[in-house]
């Protein structure tokens, strides 16, 4: 009996596009920060001030952007390693959004909900992508 492909494959593709888009944005933001490193970012969230070196922030975003972009592209080929990396990235992002919940509540809630849907699609329906591609 052949297993059918459901509409959840679309959510896996959505996750791939999301990773690809965020990865490209991180690459651009990282490049801007690396080449414009004389600025320092300071943010006071009522609990003190965070001071970040823009150059370090830029290199972190460059590396993260490259990982996200490669993972997003690999998800389109239904690579198993890409699903595993994507799941890890989505879980880390969801935890990070919980940390930022007091600062940006609406964005964090939306990101957590969207992450949960993509996580569900990747874990439960990820094997359907292999059938859809082949």
């Amino acid at each position: 009996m052949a297993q059918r492909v459901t509409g959840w494959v679309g959510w896996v593709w959505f996750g791939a596009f999301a990773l690809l888009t965020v990865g490209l944005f991180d690459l651009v933001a990282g490049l801007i920060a690396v080449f414009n490193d004389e600025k320092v970012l300071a943010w006071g969230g009522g609990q003190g001030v965070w001071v970040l070196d823009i150059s370090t922030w830029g290199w972190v975003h460059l590396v993260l952007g490259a990982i996200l972009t490669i993972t997003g592209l690999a998800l389109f080929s239904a690579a198993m390693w890409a699903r595993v990396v994507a799941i890890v990235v989505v879980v880390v992002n969801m935890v990070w959004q919980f940390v930022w919940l007091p600062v940006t509540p609406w964005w964090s809630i939306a990101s957590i909900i969207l992450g949960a849907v993509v996580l569900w699609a990747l874990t439960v329906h990820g094997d359907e992508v292999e059938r859809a591609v082949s």
Side-chain angles (χ1 to χ4, degrees):
M1 180 175 158
Q3 295 178 342
R4 67 185 189 103
V5 176
T6 66
W8 280 97
V9 170
W11 280 100
V12 176
W13 296 141
F14 173 79
F17 275 115
L19 288 177
L20 183 62
T21 303
V22 170
L24 291 173
F25 280 138
D26 277 354
L27 283 172
V28 170
L31 285 172
I32 290 170
V34 167
F35 290 117
N36 192 12
D37 63 348
E38 71 272 358
K39 295 191 169 97
V40 174
L41 176 66
W43 176 78
Q47 302 294 330
V49 177
W50 292 9
V51 178
L52 302 171
D53 177 26
I54 291 293
S55 180
T56 303
W57 181 85
W59 284 109
V60 168
H61 273 65
L62 272 174
V63 171
L64 183 62
I67 292 169
L68 291 172
T69 302
I70 292 167
T71 303
L73 288 171
L75 272 176
F76 288 117
S77 68
M80 178 63 155
W81 69 265
R83 279 190 282 154
V84 172
V85 172
I87 288 168
V88 170
V89 169
V90 169
V91 168
V92 168
N93 180 60
M94 290 172 70
V95 170
W96 186 246
Q97 292 304 323
F98 273 112
V99 171
W100 284 95
L101 195 60
V103 179
T104 57
W106 292 108
W107 174 258
S108 294
I109 290 169
S111 184
I112 291 167
I113 291 169
L114 191 59
V117 172
V118 171
L119 188 61
W120 173 267
L122 287 169
T123 56
V124 176
H125 300 282
D127 60 334
E128 293 178 29
V129 175
E130 290 179 31
R131 292 194 300 273
V133 170
S134 58

